[in-house]
Amino acid sequence: MRTVGKSVIRKEAWDKVSGTARYTHDFQFTELLYAKMVTSPFGHAKIISIDTSEAKKMPGVRGVLTGEGLPLIGEAIKDRPPLAFGKVRYHGEPVVIVVADTPALAKKAADKVKIQYEQLPVVNSPAQAFQKGAPLVHEQLGKYKKDEDSYPVPGTNIATHLKIRKGDLTNFWKDVEFTVEGRYSFNPSDHVAMETRCSIAEITREGRILITTSSQAPFMAKRLISQYFNEPEGNIEVHTPLVGGAYGGKASVQLEVLAYLSSKAVGGRPVKLWNSREEDMITSPCHIGLDAKIKFGADRNGKIRAAEILFLWDGGAYSDKAIDLTRAGATDCTGPYGIENVWCDSFCMYTNHPYPAPFRGFSHSELSFAIERTMNLLAEKLKMDPLELRRINAIRPGDLTPTQVKLNKSNVGDLPACITKLKELIKWEEGEVVPVNDRIVKVKGISCSWKTSTIDTNAPSGAILTFNRDGTINLMSGVIEIGTGTKTVLAQILAERLKMDVNHIYVRMEVDTQTTPEHWKTVASRGTFMGGKAVLEAADDVIRQLKDIAACVLRAPIEDLEVADSRVFLRDDPEQGVHFKEICYGYTYPNGNAIGGQIIGRGNYILRGLTHLDPENGKGKPGPEWTVTAHGVEVEFDRKDLTYKLLRAVSVIDIGKVLNEKAAKGQVMGAMSMGLAFAGRETFVMDELGRILNPQLRTYRPLRYGEQPEYMVDFIETPQLDAPYGARGVGEHGLLGMPAALANALSKAIGVPIYHLPLTPELLWRTREGLLR
Amino acid sequence: MKTHNLVLRINGEDRQVTVRSADTLLYTLRGRLGLTGSKPGCLNGDCGACTVNVDGWPMKSCLMLAVEAQGKEITTVEGLHDAPIQKAFVEHFAFQCGYCTPGFIMNCHSLVNNHPGADDKKIKEWLESNICRCTGYAEIEAAVKEVLGKKS
Ligand code: FES
Ligand code: FES
């Protein structure tokens, strides 16, 4: 292969190192107005009164909006007022928006808004929300509009309930000789993209709604605004330039709506709404928390025969994407193991916490923590090597997934091969615990994971190719460049198919929903697969058109023609040919006659064969394939003060096919780093009023330079037969097993099982002293 | 509202600008002078996305007032032209989304100029003030070490 597999430099690289790369907040013009939110200081409270009179009087203030009269919105269940109305349901919830001439004025005026609250009892965890008699977050749950796939239970805090019922339900535990059980929990946390979210909206005199937004889902923003406010879709144009990190957090539609409403409140003038870091962490959607209970039963050989799983997802104040997160958790609930009998209840619980967006891995790193800790409990009980236990149970072609999809050699990767490679890389034979001196030990932990996507069954992706007159090509795809390098990979896929130089392909980085073909959302590690399929089809479309014209010019049948190096030529006599530049805008004969015409390539892809899940047993096909992974972490642990240093982190991923090596490794290392930070230190610290005490980067600390381990990334290549060059999704997978692997290492280190995150020295101490269960 | 007419020396040019007393250098660069390469990530000194060089040293421009910047030589990422650290970032894939990149580059640029012999400890001391959420830092480390290696 000529281009695929090579570490092609990203198309936007020099813009990014020179400061010329533009993100949403970088767009500014003189007539722009600025919006500032007033947010709730409490987790749960009745709004007694809102007094905006003083703010309105301030010079330079152009508009003040409250929640009164706005429709309820939300993706799966319409349960969310865009601005709180009647009561607030989470700390940080937007209540009032002030629009003014400058950011400083808007802030000043926002500080003048007076809101009186009366506090209500707070639902502070999914487990509490699940208890009988818990305070209700939504009293009117039964009255909300919802889509068919959500199953809220009115009169409770249950926003949806997904069931997996697989195998022999009457003799569920029959072949089981050993059982283990664990209860796990962790709080919500945050994505912390370095670019905080930003949206700019304007409504023209013609009624056109123009939005620029830092989003993974501009097409969804367009659809939802149309749906929520009864605006024709054609009137809405959403632009997304480069996005400064997203990790799922920018797949939710929130600021777009608020910016649109703000613009509407000031007669359509352009308004920018930009999140401060604090707002980005708690006002905008966060990373989901979880309470889980797992029970595994195995026979004496270590084969797991039955699994009973309870997930209580922290859906926060509004269900939005949490419904899908709950479904995704159910879909892959067992981890990558072939288990015959599976019973899983996955509940989305309303709480008085910020509501979740997708987070890289979409419920899978979270569920893996619970599953993989339970695997280690089982290994201990069976006195078995934890890697061996995983090998015995590894899911394989021929097995059924929890939603009863029959696996084959294409739709699942090779987990045993990943485990073998991991064993070698992490030097498993050295032993799990290696003392350095009487205080310091080196400890290893491992885990496995898997993931399929659970996006809409009819999610589309499209690509358009146009030519420049010099024969170079412009590539337009609706995939957003959120940092993954996907647009460069798409150019590589195109270059490979056309056998041309990738430098002769220009990629449009910005997406706008009017002229870019839709890519459903840039999520779920599906950009390369779906966008790539669309690009391949567009490439074939271009090849066909080029050959049509060349056949005339060269007076040869189409079957005798070949395309390579930006030329169409005779296969048996390559010197006889025409360059793209001679035919891409039609061919002109010496006398002036022209034939052909401008070549425009089109391609699309729609996921095939996916189904909804049966509400009674979960049966159905959620995604096209499963990527499998094996992970390891090695730490240097201080037995005295319970601090530790990350030494090495390993990910072995069955990627199908490596398309751009450095980009793929970068994705995996970045995901690992994020997973280790989630595992080791990231959490919202909440008080009893549901207030988040650390919405700042000095109290909420992502990994910093020098704290990273040595990364070891390796790939297995079991091709997915229907994917471009066999490549599987990989953007999220480095993260999946990190929390579990670190927790397994540290459980070994302290000699007491760990059930909670994040793994701070204090948590380790509490666990060891028995102060936590 | 008190305003000041300033002349700031930025990227080798004298730029006239009117600012409020409370305007930060970051706000002034971006909002008043259109130099949007320096990024806001926290406005609190925690993330380093806004880092510029002031008289050759890294400075978080969200922590400096525009009025304090008078008489100083300010370099933003827009002021670098094919600096070795830029090239190294490109070749080592030392960014993904690119949002932290201007800040990292300005910090690294100052580091390699001021401490061409920097060891691991020194590099950590300097770079731990910036956050990159996309990469795992391995590529940034490789990029900065390559430039340091060529210097020493
Ligand atoms: S914006 Fe200046 S340090 Fe974060
Ligand atoms: S490249 Fe995205 S934060 Fe560093």
Side-chain angles (χ1 to χ4, degrees):
Chain A
M1 292 213 220
R2 301 157 55 119
T3 315
V4 157
K6 309 259 151 59
S7 297
V8 169
I9 299 284
R10 285 157 169 273
K11 293 279 183 184
E12 80 290 15
W14 276 96
D15 282 339
K16 284 184 171 172
V17 299
S18 309
T20 47
R22 285 231 165 78
Y23 304 81
T24 301
H25 189 36
D26 298 337
F27 291 86
Q28 42 192 4
F29 34 95
T30 25
E31 64 274 37
L32 202 51
L33 300 177
Y34 297 85
K36 179 74 195 166
M37 297 181 277
V38 183
T39 61
S40 161
F42 299 115
H44 199 191
K46 210 166 136 189
I47 300 174
I48 304 293
S49 67
I50 300 179
D51 177 3
T52 60
S53 54
E54 263 188 71
K56 277 186 179 145
K57 273 191 274 182
M58 288 183 57
V61 170
R62 305 297 162 203
V64 179
L65 328 40
T66 63
E68 199 172 342
L70 298 177
L72 289 174
I73 64 175
E75 282 206 33
I77 302 176
K78 305 236 174 311
D79 57 9
R80 181 171 104 244
L83 291 170
F85 184 70
K87 67 173 187 172
V88 289
R89 295 183 176 86
Y90 70 96
H91 177 210
E93 180 167 5
V95 186
V96 174
I97 292 182
V98 178
V99 183
D101 289 350
T102 68
L105 274 176
K107 166 82 174 73
K108 221 179 207 171
D111 290 343
K112 292 265 156 70
V113 172
K114 291 190 209 88
I115 307 173
Q116 261 198 315
Y117 296 99
E118 183 184 301
Q119 289 191 50
L120 295 167
V122 171
V123 182
N124 225 346
S125 74
Q128 184 202 344
F130 198 59
Q131 281 163 14
K132 272 218 165 61
L136 291 184
V137 179
H138 290 270
E139 298 82 357
Q140 307 292 326
L141 186 52
K143 299 211 175 116
Y144 295 148
K145 291 200 199 102
K146 63 170 201 76
D147 67 13
E148 275 170 35
D149 281 357
S150 319
Y151 311 102
V153 184
T156 74
N157 288 311
I158 298 170
T160 199
H161 177 193
L162 268 291
K163 298 176 200 162
I164 301 290
R165 308 283 184 259
K166 185 189 132 193
D168 185 350
L169 301 181
T170 37
N171 300 302
F172 198 77
W173 301 102
K174 97 169 167 300
D175 298 319
V176 165
E177 286 172 67
F178 298 90
T179 62
V180 284
E181 204 178 312
R183 283 167 176 272
Y184 306 88
S185 79
F186 49 86
N187 274 353
S189 51
D190 196 50
H191 310 76
V192 189
M194 292 319 295
E195 177 205 24
T196 59
R197 297 162 178 92
C198 182
S199 296
I200 304 169
E202 170 180 5
I203 307 165
T204 71
R205 185 62 187 67
E206 290 282 346
R208 293 190 62 70
I209 299 162
L210 309 179
I211 293 173
T212 303
T213 183
S214 57
S215 168
Q216 293 170 267
F219 296 95
M220 189 51 73
K222 165 172 146 177
R223 254 163 78 183
L224 290 178
I225 287 178
S226 157
Q227 195 193 95
Y228 296 158
F229 302 102
N230 250 323
E231 291 285 350
E233 275 202 31
N235 253 349
I236 306 167
E237 212 179 294
V238 183
H239 293 248
T240 295
L242 294 171
V243 171
Y247 326 110
K250 291 173 181 164
S252 302
V253 176
Q254 182 203 33
L255 289 199
E256 295 82 356
V257 170
L258 297 177
Y260 160 70
L261 291 170
S262 303
S263 173
K264 208 169 176 177
V266 294
R269 294 170 68 179
V271 178
K272 181 188 271 186
L273 177 55
W274 174 73
N275 271 352
S276 68
R277 175 56 60 192
E278 291 77 2
E279 288 160 345
D280 208 57
M281 291 181 76
I282 65 170
T283 297
S284 284
C286 67
H287 169 202
I288 203 163
L290 175 67
D291 288 345
K293 196 169 116 189
I294 315 287
K295 184 175 174 190
F296 278 171
D299 65 21
R300 76 180 58 185
N301 301 318
K303 181 80 189 142
I304 304 170
R305 296 289 179 173
E308 191 183 316
I309 296 166
L310 173 68
F311 292 137
L312 300 175
W313 299 96
D314 193 337
Y318 300 107
S319 59
D320 211 49
K321 294 304 299 171
I323 301 286
D324 288 348
L325 284 156
T326 302
R327 180 180 306 113
T331 296
D332 289 340
C333 61
T334 54
Y337 306 111
I339 305 175
E340 276 155 52
N341 295 343
V342 180
W343 179 287
C344 168
D345 290 300
S346 188
F347 290 96
C348 179
M349 301 308 303
Y350 284 118
T351 66
N352 291 118
H353 291 163
Y355 66 98
F359 176 79
R360 200 174 197 173
F362 209 67
S363 298
H364 288 70
S365 68
E366 298 83 353
L367 77 86
S368 282
F369 167 66
I371 294 295
E372 295 296 306
R373 279 294 305 129
T374 312
M375 287 299 278
N376 269 33
L377 296 179
L378 183 61
E380 268 162 39
K381 185 136 191 186
L382 294 163
K383 300 197 172 44
M384 196 180 232
D385 178 317
L387 258 185
E388 193 48 33
L389 177 68
R390 285 166 172 89
R391 181 196 308 281
I392 291 171
N393 289 287
I395 199 153
R396 291 173 166 84
D399 289 339
L400 288 184
T401 71
T403 68
Q404 306 183 44
V405 176
K406 179 103 177 237
L407 296 175
N408 59 42
K409 283 207 165 93
S410 168
N411 66 9
V412 68
D414 187 347
L415 184 58
C418 294
I419 292 173
T420 305
K421 191 81 211 177
L422 168 70
K423 194 169 176 178
E424 176 193 321
L425 289 174
I426 192 107
K427 300 209 176 89
W428 192 244
E429 73 293 341
E430 280 177 1
E432 281 177 82
V433 183
V434 180
V436 176
N437 55 41
D438 53 355
R439 187 163 162 181
I440 307 291
V441 285
K442 287 189 184 178
V443 198
K444 298 183 182 85
I446 50 97
S447 70
C448 295
S449 198
W450 71 338
K451 181 177 187 291
T452 188
S453 54
T454 45
I455 62 180
D456 281 5
T457 56
N458 58 356
S461 187
I464 292 177
L465 305 176
T466 63
F467 278 82
N468 302 303
R469 284 184 181 264
D470 60 0
T472 58
I473 299 183
N474 303 307
L475 164 56
M476 268 82 68
S477 152
V479 174
I480 310 290
E481 185 43 84
I482 51 177
T484 51
T486 308
K487 290 213 145 160
T488 304
V489 171
L490 293 180
Q492 288 179 262
I493 289 172
L494 178 62
E496 188 70 44
R497 184 66 135 221
L498 291 174
K499 304 199 190 85
M500 69 184 283
D501 184 346
V502 72
N503 294 316
H504 294 162
I505 295 169
Y506 296 86
V507 175
R508 187 172 148 87
M509 288 295 160
E510 182 178 325
V511 164
D512 84 77
T513 58
Q514 189 180 36
T515 63
T516 322
E518 173 164 344
H519 177 77
W520 184 69
K521 295 181 190 177
T522 303
V523 295
S525 303
R526 285 284 167 251
T528 302
F529 173 56
M530 295 174 55
K533 291 284 268 191
V535 164
L536 284 177
E537 193 180 281
D540 289 343
D541 189 30
V542 157
I543 291 172
R544 190 183 48 72
Q545 296 177 53
L546 287 165
K547 283 185 177 172
D548 273 351
I549 303 178
C552 268
V553 178
L554 300 173
R555 296 177 202 170
I558 286 173
E559 352 25 299
D560 290 357
L561 301 179
E562 219 24 77
V563 172
D565 300 314
S566 300
R567 288 174 76 244
V568 188
F569 52 86
L570 295 178
R571 189 173 299 115
D572 58 337
D573 185 5
E575 282 183 15
Q576 303 280 329
V578 282
H579 192 271
F580 286 179
K581 69 182 169 199
E582 296 171 79
I583 53 174
C584 63
Y585 277 79
Y587 179 79
T588 310
Y589 287 95
N591 74 351
N593 286 173
I595 58 161
Q598 165 168 193
I599 292 177
I600 302 169
R602 59 156 286 281
N604 72 39
Y605 183 71
I606 188 158
L607 285 167
R608 93 175 127 78
L610 303 188
T611 66
H612 300 290
L613 305 184
D614 184 304
E616 293 315 312
N617 58 22
K619 195 168 177 200
K621 187 175 178 196
E625 62 86 34
W626 280 259
T627 300
V628 294
T629 63
H631 306 272
V633 174
E634 187 181 7
V635 300
E636 195 174 85
F637 181 75
D638 184 333
R639 284 197 275 213
K640 190 155 176 219
D641 64 12
L642 310 191
T643 58
Y644 59 93
K645 183 173 156 30
L646 300 169
L647 295 178
R648 284 189 294 162
V650 187
S651 282
V652 184
I653 300 177
D654 192 337
I655 190 173
K657 167 82 192 161
V658 178
L659 298 180
N660 182 324
E661 187 170 350
K662 279 192 185 170
K665 286 206 161 144
Q667 280 302 300
V668 175
M669 290 190 287
M672 289 164 77
S673 152
M674 190 171 250
L676 288 168
F678 161 39
R681 46 177 66 200
E682 291 187 23
T683 185
F684 283 159
V685 179
M686 317 226 201
D687 70 6
E688 64 283 2
L689 300 179
R691 290 182 301 199
I692 291 133
L693 306 178
N694 60 336
Q696 275 195 341
L697 298 180
R698 68 181 59 178
T699 41
Y700 181 108
R701 294 177 57 84
L703 223 63
R704 284 174 183 267
Y705 183 95
E707 294 172 328
Q708 77 273 20
E710 178 197 343
Y711 300 100
M712 304 176 99
V713 176
D714 214 322
F715 296 118
I716 305 293
E717 294 189 320
T718 309
Q720 177 195 343
L721 298 177
D722 58 334
Y725 305 101
R728 296 175 189 278
V730 77
E732 306 161 285
H733 301 76
L735 196 157
L736 303 182
M738 284 296 127
L742 184 61
N744 284 339
L746 291 170
S747 293
K748 257 280 174 297
I750 61 172
V752 179
I754 290 170
Y755 297 98
H756 308 279
L757 297 174
L759 304 160
T760 58
E762 181 184 335
L763 182 125
L764 299 180
W765 175 76
R766 284 178 189 275
T767 305
R768 196 185 61 183
E769 301 304 307
L771 304 171
L772 263 184
R773 229 352 281 266
Chain B
M1 186 174 66
K2 182 128 171 63
T3 59
H4 311 263
N5 294 317
L6 309 179
V7 177
L8 297 180
R9 183 86 186 152
I10 301 169
N11 299 333
E13 296 172 344
D14 286 331
R15 304 285 304 261
Q16 287 195 16
V17 62
T18 305
V19 302
R20 295 183 314 140
S21 306
D23 283 343
T24 60
L25 178 60
L26 176 65
Y27 179 78
T28 307
L29 289 170
R30 291 176 53 84
R32 294 265 168 262
L33 298 167
L35 293 168
T36 54
S38 311
K39 302 297 183 207
C42 66
L43 305 185
N44 199 36
D46 299 334
C47 77
C50 63
T51 305
V52 299
N53 286 181
V54 175
D55 292 337
W57 293 89
M59 178 69 210
K60 289 171 174 167
S61 63
C62 71
L63 292 184
M64 184 175 200
L65 295 174
V67 291
E68 295 177 283
Q70 277 190 103
K72 302 209 166 17
E73 195 73 46
I74 295 154
T75 310
T76 70
V77 70
E78 289 94 339
L80 298 190
H81 299 287
D82 295 335
I85 193 68
Q86 290 174 297
K87 192 153 175 283
F89 263 62
V90 168
E91 279 164 9
H92 288 277
F93 284 58
F95 57 85
Q96 290 175 22
C97 79
Y99 196 83
C100 71
T101 311
F104 257 105
I105 286 195
M106 294 317 292
N107 195 352
C108 293
H109 182 69
S110 179
L111 169 65
V112 299
N113 287 340
N114 287 300
H115 297 284
D119 57 7
D120 279 345
K121 192 164 157 261
K122 179 68 81 191
I123 300 173
K124 177 166 190 273
E125 205 176 287
W126 277 56
L127 298 192
E128 69 186 3
S129 67
N130 293 49
I131 299 173
C132 175
R133 190 63 160 166
C134 292
T135 74
Y137 298 109
E139 302 95 328
I140 295 177
E141 177 174 1
V144 81
K145 285 189 173 166
E146 187 196 285
V147 179
L148 284 169
K150 283 189 185 145
K151 290 224 160 203
S152 54

